[in-house]
Structures are given as C-alpha cells and as structure tokens.
Amino acid sequence: MARASLDTDTDARTVTIRRLRDGMAEGVLSFPLTSFHDDGTLDPDGLRTHVAAQLATAPGAVFPACGTGEFFSLDEDEYRQVVSVAVEESGGRVPVVAGVGYGWAQAARFARIAEEAGADALLVLPHYLVAAPQDGLVAQLEQLAARTRLPLIAYQRGQVAYTAESLKRIAGIPNVVGLKDGHSDLDRLQRLTLAAPEDFLFFNGASTAEIQARAYATVGVPAYSSAVHAFAPEIANAFFAALRRGDHGTVDKLLRDFYVPLVEIRDRVPGYAVSLVKAAARLRGRPVGPVRAPLTNPSAADLADLRTLLATGLDLVGAAL
C-alpha cells in the first residue's frame, strides 16, 4: 500500500475513533432491527423507516446487521441493502458500524460490501462453530484486518474470549480500534482495560446491557449497546441520562420495574434476546416484521406479558405505548 494511502487510512481511523468515543459518551449505541415482510423477505422500506426513527432519538452510533439485526440470517445482497440504508439515513450524523462474521474469508467478503456501502467501521462478530486457541483468535483478526481499510471492533462472546496478552496483540493491529464485551467477566475485563493502549475503545455488549451498566463502569467501561433502544428509546435514553448524572434512585427504579422483569421474560426461551425485542417494536407499530428461523416469535402468553411490561416501562418515563 502506498505511503499516501497509509496516511489517509490512519487519518480516517483517527477520525472514526474520535467520533465513536464522542458518540459513546453522549448516547447509547443503537443496534437497529432488520425489517422483514411476513413471508420472510427483506423489507427495505420498513428498515428505512425504523433506522430513521432510531436516528431521531440521538444514539451515539448505529450498528446495522449485527446480532440484534439478524446478521446470521442475511445473504450478501440483503446485507448490502441493510448497511446502505443505515449509511444513507445517517447521512454522516453518527458513525455506522456494520457487523461482519463467520470465518475471516467470509468476514472479508462482508467487509468489502460494507466498505463499498460507506460504513465507517466493522464489528467483528464471533467466528462460527469451533473453539480456538488465543493464537487463532488473534490470527482471525489479523487476516481480516489485512483485507479491509475499515477500523475493526472485536466482539468477545461465546467461544471468543481474549487474554490480556492477546488484547495487547490485537491492539497492535493498526485496524483494530476497540472491543465489545459480552462475557460480563469483570475480573477479565479489568485486566483487558489495563493492558490496552489509552485510545483503545471498550463497550459493554452484554444482553440487556443496562442490567450491568454500573458494574461495567467501575472497571472503566461506561459505554454500552442497548437493545431496548430498538423499541423504547424513551426508556433507554432516560436510563442513560440517569446513569450519567448519578441518579441512582431513577436507575434502580427502572432496573427493578422494567429491566429485570424484561430479562426474566427474555430468559424463558432461547433467542428471545432478539425476537422479544422485535416483538416489542411491533407492539409500538414499528415496521420490523417477524424474525427469521431459527429464531421464533414469542408465544401469545409471553407477548401479553411483554405488552404489560412495556406499558409500565413507558409510563415510568412519561411516555405511552
């Protein structure tokens, strides 16, 4: 790569890191749902409406086609449409970080599509199926980084968990700018934050991240993604604001009366971390459609409980269903 190109890439990464850091300090990270028609086909118009509504509530960044966005069920053409819609709707107002995944060869194909669509960075979802040693986890990122100019945020969850030594190694890869954590192992996470360079980005990617937001902040990771933002930005933003101003009474009330009961419903069925979020969005009239298999839509009983809880949560922040 020519020197001028290297300098340009470095400047672009610096700008992206700054924009992400600023956004993470100002709002939750939004992970839009991917809209499908009832027959399971992609609904680009519904997606555009949903993304526009998300952006109107001032998230810190937008992460299309990630776990909440059912990346695992999209083909490459659908993926291109999803990322393109997010880029077009954001219009440069906030960073757009697209999900990529599977093995590095497939991840590189999605990375090229995201780059062509105008994404600012990539979230590298855990690789497919197999367990791997630390050297392999590092090599996975090295291989992908060599094939894209976009900044990469590694996502440790499931079979991916970095040691402090591996964190130092991946932080030394020029493209790798941050880590999303979904393990909630605060001992390990504290070791990672201490091992990382000063400008390395960290954020809380636990399921229903608000539950553990205060705990993550104690080890230096105050930023988090919010699935609730996809269907009730009023609640997500009220929680974020209360947390930032140290209003623990409001934080506790929202946790006790909304977030903890939401997690209890979520834990009833595997996959509800996505399908329950999508169902809640439909309850509010959002054009997101059903989930794709292997996920399933919530049962009638669970949907009724969700409706009651959603009304309660919105009432807590002065909003209506």
Side-chain angles (χ1 to χ4, degrees):
M1 189 180 292
R3 178 67 191 180
S5 180
L6 284 170
D7 290 343
T8 299
D9 291 346
T10 300
D11 290 345
R13 280 194 295 274
T14 300
V15 170
T16 298
I17 291 171
R18 177 182 55 75
R19 294 181 68 212
L20 281 168
R21 188 179 299 282
D22 290 348
M24 289 158 62
E26 295 171 2
V28 300
L29 305 176
S30 174
F31 284 65
L33 300 158
T34 296
S35 297
F36 298 119
H37 294 293
D38 287 342
D39 64 1
T41 57
L42 186 70
D43 177 9
D45 293 335
L47 174 64
R48 189 175 297 279
T49 298
H50 174 59
V51 171
Q54 292 295 102
L55 287 163
T57 60
V62 173
F63 288 66
C66 294
T68 305
E70 298 179 77
F71 166 79
F72 50 84
S73 74
L74 301 175
D75 66 27
E76 291 182 14
D77 180 63
E78 291 169 332
Y79 176 84
R80 184 184 300 275
Q81 293 183 68
V82 169
V83 177
S84 295
V85 165
V87 171
E88 291 163 8
E89 289 301 316
S90 69
R93 287 176 289 167
V94 297
V96 175
V97 184
V100 298
Y102 307 116
W104 62 258
Q106 288 173 288
R109 291 173 65 92
F110 284 102
R112 285 194 293 274
I113 294 169
E115 188 169 346
E116 292 166 358
D120 297 292
L122 303 171
L123 178 65
V124 185
L125 303 173
H127 65 270
Y128 174 66
L129 190 61
V130 296
Q134 292 295 310
D135 285 348
L137 298 180
V138 174
Q140 164 88 340
L141 287 176
E142 289 174 335
Q143 292 286 350
L144 178 56
R147 289 163 174 80
T148 181
R149 295 182 177 184
L150 293 180
L152 306 177
I153 297 170
Y155 187 7
Q156 64 168 18
R157 189 186 185 105
Q159 69 269 40
V160 177
Y162 298 101
T163 63
E165 183 57 36
S166 293
L167 190 283
K168 293 177 185 177
R169 293 171 64 189
I170 67 171
I173 302 170
N175 300 48
V176 179
V177 303
L179 178 77
K180 177 182 180 182
D181 176 72
H183 283 295
S184 304
D185 181 341
L186 297 185
D187 180 288
R188 176 188 290 266
L189 187 58
Q190 181 70 89
R191 295 168 192 262
L192 298 184
T193 61
L194 293 172
E198 186 175 352
D199 63 346
F200 202 73
L201 303 173
F202 285 92
F203 63 94
N204 166 8
S207 296
T208 316
E210 286 91 343
I211 292 286
Q212 300 183 66
R214 281 189 295 203
Y216 269 80
T218 65
V219 295
V221 184
Y224 60 90
S225 58
S226 174
V228 170
H229 189 271
F231 64 86
E234 304 97 327
I235 299 173
N237 288 341
F239 183 92
F240 179 88
L243 188 66
R244 287 298 183 266
R245 67 176 179 264
D247 181 355
H248 296 294
T250 297
V251 168
D252 286 344
K253 186 169 184 59
L254 287 170
L255 287 173
R256 184 183 303 111
D257 296 342
F258 176 73
Y259 283 100
V260 169
L262 178 66
V263 168
E264 290 171 351
I265 300 173
R266 183 201 72 195
D267 289 348
R268 292 176 186 173
V269 177
Y272 266 18
V274 176
S275 57
L276 202 71
V277 171
K278 218 166 193 184
R282 291 195 302 274
L283 286 173
R284 303 203 71 197
R286 308 294 192 257
V288 297
V291 293
R292 276 181 172 174
L295 301 180
T296 58
N297 293 308
S299 68
D302 291 341
L303 195 60
D305 289 344
L306 177 63
R307 182 189 293 273
T308 299
L309 178 61
L310 181 55
T312 297
L314 289 168
D315 186 62
L316 288 172
V317 299
L321 184 62

Coordinates of all heavy atoms in Angstrom, one line a residue, residues 118-193:
G118 N -20.3 2.4 2.4 CA -20.0 3.6 3.1 C -19.9 3.5 4.6 O -20.0 4.5 5.3
A119 N -19.9 2.3 5.1 CA -19.8 2.1 6.6 C -18.5 2.7 7.1 O -17.5 2.8 6.4 CB -19.8 0.6 7.0
D120 N -18.5 3.2 8.4 CA -17.3 3.8 9.0 C -16.4 2.8 9.6 O -15.2 3.1 9.8 CB -17.8 4.8 10.0 CG -18.6 6.0 9.4 OD1 -18.0 6.8 8.7 OD2 -19.8 6.0 9.7
A121 N -17.0 1.7 10.1 CA -16.2 0.7 10.8 C -16.9 -0.6 10.8 O -18.1 -0.7 10.3 CB -15.9 1.1 12.3
L122 N -16.3 -1.7 11.4 CA -16.9 -3.0 11.4 C -16.9 -3.6 12.8 O -15.9 -3.4 13.5 CB -16.1 -3.9 10.5 CG -16.0 -3.5 9.0 CD1 -15.0 -4.5 8.3 CD2 -17.4 -3.5 8.3
L123 N -17.9 -4.3 13.2 CA -18.0 -5.0 14.4 C -17.8 -6.5 14.0 O -18.6 -7.1 13.3 CB -19.3 -4.9 15.2 CG -19.5 -5.7 16.4 CD1 -18.5 -5.2 17.5 CD2 -20.9 -5.6 17.0
V124 N -16.7 -7.1 14.5 CA -16.3 -8.5 14.1 C -17.0 -9.4 15.1 O -16.6 -9.6 16.2 CB -14.8 -8.7 14.1 CG1 -14.5 -10.1 13.6 CG2 -14.1 -7.6 13.3
L125 N -18.1 -10.0 14.6 CA -18.8 -11.0 15.5 C -18.0 -12.3 15.7 O -17.2 -12.6 14.9 CB -20.2 -11.3 14.8 CG -21.1 -10.1 14.5 CD1 -22.3 -10.5 13.7 CD2 -21.5 -9.4 15.8
P126 N -18.3 -13.0 16.7 CA -17.6 -14.3 17.0 C -17.6 -15.2 15.8 O -18.7 -15.3 15.1 CB -18.3 -14.9 18.2 CG -18.9 -13.7 18.9 CD -19.3 -12.7 17.8
H127 N -16.5 -15.9 15.5 CA -16.4 -16.8 14.4 C -17.4 -18.0 14.6 O -17.9 -18.2 15.7 CB -15.0 -17.3 14.2 CG -14.5 -18.1 15.4 ND1 -13.9 -17.5 16.5 CD2 -14.6 -19.4 15.6 CE1 -13.6 -18.5 17.3 NE2 -14.0 -19.7 16.9
Y128 N -17.6 -18.7 13.6 CA -18.6 -19.8 13.5 C -18.1 -21.1 14.1 O -17.0 -21.6 13.8 CB -19.0 -20.0 12.1 CG -19.9 -21.2 11.9 CD1 -21.2 -21.1 12.4 CD2 -19.5 -22.3 11.2 CE1 -22.1 -22.2 12.2 CE2 -20.4 -23.4 11.0 CZ -21.7 -23.3 11.5 OH -22.5 -24.4 11.3
L129 N -18.9 -21.6 15.0 CA -18.9 -23.0 15.5 C -17.7 -23.5 16.3 O -17.9 -24.0 17.4 CB -19.0 -24.0 14.2 CG -19.2 -25.5 14.5 CD1 -20.5 -25.6 15.2 CD2 -19.2 -26.3 13.2
V130 N -16.5 -23.4 15.8 CA -15.4 -24.1 16.5 C -14.7 -23.2 17.6 O -14.7 -22.0 17.6 CB -14.3 -24.5 15.5 CG1 -14.8 -25.5 14.5 CG2 -13.7 -23.2 14.8
A131 N -14.2 -23.9 18.6 CA -13.4 -23.3 19.6 C -12.0 -23.1 19.1 O -11.6 -23.8 18.2 CB -13.3 -24.1 20.9
A132 N -11.3 -22.1 19.6 CA -10.0 -21.8 19.0 C -9.0 -21.3 20.1 O -9.5 -20.7 21.1 CB -10.1 -20.7 17.9
P133 N -7.7 -21.5 20.0 CA -6.7 -21.0 20.9 C -6.5 -19.5 20.7 O -7.0 -19.0 19.7 CB -5.5 -21.8 20.6 CG -5.6 -22.1 19.2 CD -7.1 -22.3 18.9
Q134 N -5.8 -18.9 21.6 CA -5.6 -17.5 21.6 C -4.8 -17.1 20.3 O -5.2 -16.1 19.7 CB -4.8 -17.0 22.8 CG -5.6 -17.1 24.1 CD -6.7 -16.1 24.1 OE1 -6.6 -15.0 23.9 NE2 -7.9 -16.7 24.5
D135 N -3.9 -17.9 19.9 CA -3.1 -17.5 18.6 C -4.1 -17.5 17.4 O -4.0 -16.7 16.6 CB -2.0 -18.6 18.4 CG -0.8 -18.4 19.2 OD1 -0.7 -17.3 19.9 OD2 0.0 -19.3 19.3
G136 N -5.1 -18.4 17.4 CA -6.0 -18.4 16.3 C -7.0 -17.2 16.4 O -7.4 -16.7 15.3
L137 N -7.4 -16.8 17.6 CA -8.3 -15.7 17.7 C -7.6 -14.4 17.2 O -8.2 -13.6 16.5 CB -8.7 -15.5 19.2 CG -9.5 -16.6 19.8 CD1 -9.9 -16.3 21.3 CD2 -10.8 -16.9 19.0
V138 N -6.3 -14.3 17.5 CA -5.5 -13.1 17.1 C -5.4 -13.2 15.5 O -5.5 -12.2 14.8 CB -4.1 -13.1 17.7 CG1 -3.3 -12.0 17.1 CG2 -4.3 -12.8 19.2
A139 N -5.0 -14.4 15.0 CA -4.8 -14.6 13.6 C -6.1 -14.3 12.8 O -6.1 -13.7 11.7 CB -4.4 -16.0 13.3
Q140 N -7.3 -14.6 13.4 CA -8.5 -14.3 12.7 C -8.7 -12.8 12.4 O -9.0 -12.3 11.3 CB -9.7 -14.7 13.6 CG -11.1 -14.2 13.3 CD -11.8 -15.0 12.3 OE1 -11.2 -15.8 11.5 NE2 -13.1 -14.9 12.2
L141 N -8.3 -12.0 13.4 CA -8.4 -10.5 13.2 C -7.3 -10.0 12.3 O -7.5 -9.1 11.5 CB -8.3 -9.8 14.6 CG -9.5 -9.9 15.5 CD1 -9.3 -9.2 16.8 CD2 -10.7 -9.3 14.8
E142 N -6.1 -10.6 12.4 CA -5.0 -10.2 11.5 C -5.4 -10.5 10.0 O -5.1 -9.6 9.2 CB -3.7 -11.0 11.9 CG -3.1 -10.6 13.2 CD -1.9 -11.5 13.5 OE1 -1.9 -12.6 13.1 OE2 -1.0 -11.0 14.3
Q143 N -6.0 -11.6 9.8 CA -6.4 -11.9 8.4 C -7.4 -11.0 7.9 O -7.4 -10.5 6.7 CB -6.9 -13.4 8.3 CG -5.8 -14.4 8.6 CD -4.9 -14.6 7.4 OE1 -5.1 -14.1 6.3 NE2 -3.8 -15.4 7.6
L144 N -8.4 -10.7 8.7 CA -9.5 -9.7 8.3 C -8.9 -8.3 8.1 O -9.2 -7.6 7.2 CB -10.6 -9.7 9.3 CG -11.8 -8.8 9.0 CD1 -12.4 -9.0 7.6 CD2 -12.8 -8.9 10.1
A145 N -8.1 -7.9 9.1 CA -7.5 -6.5 9.0 C -6.7 -6.3 7.8 O -6.6 -5.2 7.2 CB -6.7 -6.3 10.3
A146 N -6.1 -7.4 7.3 CA -5.2 -7.3 6.1 C -6.1 -7.1 4.8 O -5.5 -6.8 3.8 CB -4.3 -8.5 6.0
R147 N -7.4 -7.3 5.0 CA -8.3 -7.3 3.8 C -9.3 -6.2 3.8 O -10.2 -6.2 3.0 CB -8.9 -8.7 3.7 CG -8.0 -9.8 3.3 CD -8.5 -11.2 3.5 NE -7.6 -12.2 3.0 CZ -6.5 -12.6 3.6 NH1 -6.2 -12.1 4.8 NH2 -5.7 -13.5 3.0
T148 N -9.2 -5.3 4.7 CA -10.1 -4.1 4.8 C -9.4 -2.9 5.3 O -8.5 -3.0 6.1 CB -11.3 -4.4 5.6 OG1 -12.2 -3.2 5.6 CG2 -11.0 -4.7 7.1
R149 N -9.8 -1.7 4.8 CA -9.2 -0.5 5.4 C -10.1 0.0 6.6 O -9.6 0.9 7.3 CB -9.2 0.6 4.3 CG -8.3 0.3 3.1 CD -8.3 1.5 2.1 NE -7.4 1.2 1.0 CZ -7.2 2.1 0.1 NH1 -7.8 3.3 0.1 NH2 -6.3 1.9 -0.9
L150 N -11.2 -0.6 6.8 CA -12.1 -0.1 7.8 C -11.6 -0.5 9.2 O -11.1 -1.6 9.4 CB -13.5 -0.6 7.6 CG -14.3 -0.1 6.4 CD1 -15.7 -0.8 6.4 CD2 -14.4 1.4 6.4
P151 N -11.8 0.4 10.2 CA -11.5 0.1 11.6 C -12.3 -1.1 12.1 O -13.5 -1.2 11.7 CB -11.8 1.3 12.4 CG -11.8 2.4 11.3 CD -12.3 1.8 10.1
L152 N -11.7 -1.9 12.9 CA -12.4 -3.1 13.4 C -12.6 -3.0 14.9 O -11.7 -2.6 15.7 CB -11.6 -4.4 13.1 CG -11.2 -4.6 11.7 CD1 -10.3 -5.9 11.6 CD2 -12.4 -4.8 10.8
I153 N -13.8 -3.4 15.4 CA -14.1 -3.6 16.8 C -14.3 -5.1 17.0 O -15.2 -5.7 16.4 CB -15.3 -2.8 17.2 CG1 -15.1 -1.3 17.0 CG2 -15.6 -3.1 18.7 CD1 -16.3 -0.4 17.2
A154 N -13.5 -5.7 17.8 CA -13.6 -7.1 18.1 C -14.8 -7.4 19.1 O -15.0 -6.5 20.0 CB -12.3 -7.7 18.7
Y155 N -15.5 -8.4 18.9 CA -16.6 -8.8 19.9 C -16.3 -10.1 20.5 O -16.3 -11.1 19.9 CB -17.9 -8.9 19.1 CG -19.2 -9.0 19.9 CD1 -19.2 -8.9 21.3 CD2 -20.4 -9.2 19.2 CE1 -20.3 -9.1 22.0 CE2 -21.6 -9.4 20.0 CZ -21.5 -9.3 21.3 OH -22.7 -9.4 22.1
Q156 N -16.0 -10.0 21.8 CA -15.8 -11.3 22.6 C -17.0 -11.7 23.2 O -17.6 -11.0 24.1 CB -14.6 -11.1 23.5 CG -14.7 -10.2 24.7 CD -13.6 -10.4 25.7 OE1 -12.6 -11.0 25.4 NE2 -13.8 -9.9 26.9
R157 N -17.5 -12.9 22.9 CA -18.7 -13.5 23.3 C -18.6 -15.0 23.0 O -17.9 -15.3 22.0 CB -19.9 -12.8 22.7 CG -21.3 -13.2 23.3 CD -22.4 -12.6 22.5 NE -23.7 -12.8 23.1 CZ -24.4 -12.0 23.8 NH1 -23.9 -10.7 24.0 NH2 -25.5 -12.3 24.4
G158 N -19.4 -15.8 23.6 CA -19.4 -17.2 23.3 C -18.0 -17.8 23.3 O -17.3 -17.7 24.3
Q159 N -17.5 -18.4 22.2 CA -16.2 -19.0 22.1 C -15.1 -18.1 22.0 O -13.9 -18.5 21.9 CB -16.2 -20.1 21.0 CG -16.2 -19.5 19.6 CD -17.6 -19.3 19.0 OE1 -18.5 -18.9 19.8 NE2 -17.8 -19.7 17.8
V160 N -15.3 -16.8 21.9 CA -14.2 -15.8 21.8 C -14.0 -15.1 23.1 O -15.0 -14.4 23.6 CB -14.5 -14.8 20.7 CG1 -13.4 -13.7 20.6 CG2 -14.6 -15.5 19.3
A161 N -12.9 -15.2 23.7 CA -12.5 -14.5 25.0 C -11.0 -14.3 25.0 O -10.2 -15.3 25.0 CB -13.0 -15.4 26.2
Y162 N -10.6 -13.1 25.0 CA -9.2 -12.7 24.9 C -8.5 -12.7 26.2 O -9.1 -12.2 27.2 CB -9.0 -11.4 24.1 CG -9.5 -11.4 22.7 CD1 -10.8 -10.8 22.4 CD2 -8.8 -11.9 21.7 CE1 -11.3 -10.8 21.1 CE2 -9.3 -11.9 20.4 CZ -10.5 -11.4 20.1 OH -11.0 -11.4 18.8
T163 N -7.3 -13.1 26.3 CA -6.5 -12.8 27.5 C -5.9 -11.4 27.4 O -5.9 -10.8 26.3 CB -5.3 -13.8 27.5 OG1 -4.5 -13.7 26.4 CG2 -5.8 -15.3 27.6
A164 N -5.3 -11.0 28.4 CA -4.7 -9.6 28.4 C -3.5 -9.6 27.4 O -3.3 -8.6 26.7 CB -4.2 -9.3 29.8
E165 N -2.8 -10.7 27.3 CA -1.7 -10.8 26.3 C -2.2 -10.7 24.9 O -1.6 -10.0 24.1 CB -0.8 -12.0 26.5 CG 0.4 -12.1 25.6 CD 1.3 -11.0 25.8 OE1 1.5 -10.5 26.9 OE2 1.9 -10.6 24.7
S166 N -3.3 -11.4 24.6 CA -3.9 -11.4 23.3 C -4.5 -10.0 23.0 O -4.4 -9.5 21.9 CB -5.0 -12.4 23.2 OG -4.4 -13.7 23.2
L167 N -5.0 -9.3 24.0 CA -5.5 -8.0 23.8 C -4.4 -7.0 23.4 O -4.6 -6.2 22.5 CB -6.2 -7.5 25.1 CG -7.0 -6.2 25.1 CD1 -6.2 -4.9 25.1 CD2 -8.0 -6.2 23.9
K168 N -3.2 -7.2 24.0 CA -2.1 -6.3 23.6 C -1.8 -6.6 22.1 O -1.5 -5.7 21.3 CB -0.9 -6.6 24.4 CG -1.0 -6.2 25.9 CD 0.2 -6.6 26.7 CE 0.1 -6.3 28.1 NZ 1.3 -6.7 28.9
R169 N -1.9 -7.9 21.7 CA -1.5 -8.2 20.3 C -2.5 -7.7 19.3 O -2.2 -7.1 18.3 CB -1.4 -9.7 20.2 CG -0.2 -10.3 20.9 CD -0.3 -11.8 21.0 NE -0.2 -12.4 19.6 CZ -0.3 -13.7 19.3 NH1 -0.7 -14.5 20.3 NH2 -0.2 -14.1 18.1
I170 N -3.8 -7.8 19.6 CA -4.8 -7.3 18.7 C -4.9 -5.8 18.7 O -5.1 -5.2 17.6 CB -6.2 -7.9 18.9 CG1 -6.8 -7.4 20.2 CG2 -6.2 -9.4 18.9 CD1 -8.3 -7.8 20.4
A171 N -4.5 -5.2 19.8 CA -4.5 -3.7 19.8 C -3.3 -3.2 19.0 O -3.3 -2.0 18.6 CB -4.4 -3.2 21.3
G172 N -2.3 -4.0 18.7 CA -1.2 -3.7 17.9 C -1.5 -3.8 16.4 O -0.7 -3.4 15.6
I173 N -2.6 -4.4 16.1 CA -3.0 -4.5 14.6 C -3.6 -3.1 14.3 O -4.6 -2.6 14.9 CB -4.1 -5.6 14.4 CG1 -3.6 -6.9 14.9 CG2 -4.5 -5.6 13.0 CD1 -4.7 -8.0 14.9
P174 N -3.1 -2.4 13.3 CA -3.5 -1.0 13.0 C -5.0 -0.8 12.9 O -5.5 0.2 13.4 CB -2.7 -0.7 11.8 CG -1.5 -1.5 11.8 CD -2.0 -2.8 12.4
N175 N -5.7 -1.7 12.3 CA -7.1 -1.6 12.1 C -8.0 -1.8 13.3 O -9.1 -1.3 13.4 CB -7.7 -2.5 11.0 CG -7.0 -2.4 9.7 OD1 -5.8 -2.4 9.5 ND2 -7.8 -2.4 8.6
V176 N -7.5 -2.5 14.3 CA -8.3 -2.9 15.4 C -8.3 -1.7 16.4 O -7.3 -1.4 17.0 CB -7.8 -4.2 16.1 CG1 -8.7 -4.5 17.3 CG2 -7.8 -5.3 15.0
V177 N -9.5 -1.2 16.7 CA -9.6 0.0 17.5 C -10.4 -0.2 18.8 O -10.4 0.7 19.6 CB -10.2 1.2 16.7 CG1 -9.4 1.5 15.4 CG2 -11.7 0.9 16.3
G178 N -11.0 -1.3 19.0 CA -11.8 -1.5 20.2 C -12.3 -2.9 20.4 O -12.1 -3.8 19.6
L179 N -13.0 -3.1 21.5 CA -13.5 -4.4 21.9 C -14.9 -4.2 22.5 O -15.1 -3.3 23.4 CB -12.6 -5.0 23.0 CG -13.0 -6.3 23.6 CD1 -12.8 -7.4 22.6 CD2 -12.3 -6.6 24.9
K180 N -15.8 -5.0 22.1 CA -17.1 -5.1 22.7 C -17.1 -6.4 23.5 O -16.7 -7.5 23.0 CB -18.2 -5.2 21.6 CG -19.6 -5.4 22.2 CD -20.7 -5.5 21.0 CE -22.1 -5.7 21.6 NZ -23.1 -5.9 20.6
D181 N -17.6 -6.3 24.8 CA -17.5 -7.5 25.7 C -18.9 -8.0 26.0 O -19.8 -7.2 26.4 CB -16.9 -7.1 27.0 CG -16.9 -8.2 28.0 OD1 -16.2 -9.2 27.8 OD2 -17.7 -8.2 28.9
G182 N -19.1 -9.3 25.8 CA -20.4 -9.9 26.1 C -20.3 -11.0 27.1 O -21.3 -11.7 27.3
H183 N -19.2 -11.1 27.8 CA -19.0 -12.2 28.8 C -19.4 -11.7 30.2 O -19.7 -12.6 31.0 CB -17.5 -12.6 28.7 CG -17.2 -13.6 27.6 ND1 -17.8 -14.8 27.5 CD2 -16.4 -13.4 26.6 CE1 -17.3 -15.4 26.4 NE2 -16.4 -14.5 25.8
S184 N -19.2 -10.4 30.4 CA -19.5 -9.9 31.8 C -18.6 -10.5 32.9 O -19.0 -10.6 34.0 CB -21.0 -10.1 32.1 OG -21.8 -9.6 31.2
D185 N -17.4 -10.9 32.5 CA -16.4 -11.3 33.5 C -15.6 -10.1 33.8 O -14.7 -9.8 33.1 CB -15.6 -12.4 32.9 CG -14.5 -13.0 33.8 OD1 -14.2 -12.3 34.8 OD2 -14.0 -14.1 33.5
L186 N -16.0 -9.4 34.9 CA -15.4 -8.2 35.2 C -13.9 -8.3 35.6 O -13.1 -7.4 35.4 CB -16.2 -7.4 36.3 CG -17.6 -7.1 35.9 CD1 -18.3 -6.3 37.0 CD2 -17.7 -6.3 34.6
D187 N -13.5 -9.4 36.2 CA -12.1 -9.6 36.5 C -11.3 -9.6 35.2 O -10.3 -8.9 35.1 CB -12.0 -10.9 37.3 CG -10.5 -11.3 37.6 OD1 -9.7 -11.6 36.7 OD2 -10.2 -11.2 38.8
R188 N -11.7 -10.4 34.2 CA -11.0 -10.5 33.0 C -11.1 -9.1 32.3 O -10.1 -8.7 31.7 CB -11.7 -11.6 32.1 CG -11.1 -11.6 30.7 CD -11.9 -12.6 29.8 NE -11.7 -14.0 30.2 CZ -10.7 -14.8 29.6 NH1 -9.9 -14.3 28.7 NH2 -10.7 -16.0 30.0
L189 N -12.2 -8.5 32.3 CA -12.4 -7.2 31.6 C -11.5 -6.2 32.2 O -10.9 -5.4 31.4 CB -13.8 -6.8 31.6 CG -14.2 -5.6 30.8 CD1 -13.8 -5.8 29.3 CD2 -15.7 -5.2 30.9
Q190 N -11.3 -6.1 33.5 CA -10.4 -5.2 34.1 C -9.0 -5.4 33.7 O -8.2 -4.5 33.4 CB -10.5 -5.3 35.6 CG -9.6 -4.3 36.4 CD -10.1 -2.9 36.2 OE1 -10.9 -2.4 37.0 NE2 -9.7 -2.1 35.2
R191 N -8.6 -6.7 33.6 CA -7.3 -7.0 33.1 C -7.1 -6.5 31.6 O -6.0 -6.0 31.3 CB -7.0 -8.5 33.2 CG -7.0 -9.0 34.6 CD -7.0 -10.5 34.6 NE -7.2 -11.0 36.0 CZ -6.3 -11.4 36.8 NH1 -5.0 -11.3 36.5 NH2 -6.6 -11.8 38.0
L192 N -8.1 -6.6 30.8 CA -8.0 -6.2 29.4 C -7.9 -4.7 29.3 O -7.1 -4.1 28.5 CB -9.3 -6.7 28.6 CG -9.5 -8.2 28.5 CD1 -10.7 -8.5 27.6 CD2 -8.2 -8.9 28.0
T193 N -8.7 -3.9 30.1 CA -8.7 -2.5 30.0 C -7.3 -2.0 30.5 O -6.8 -1.0 29.9 CB -9.8 -1.8 30.9 OG1 -9.6 -2.2 32.2 CG2 -11.2 -2.2 30.4

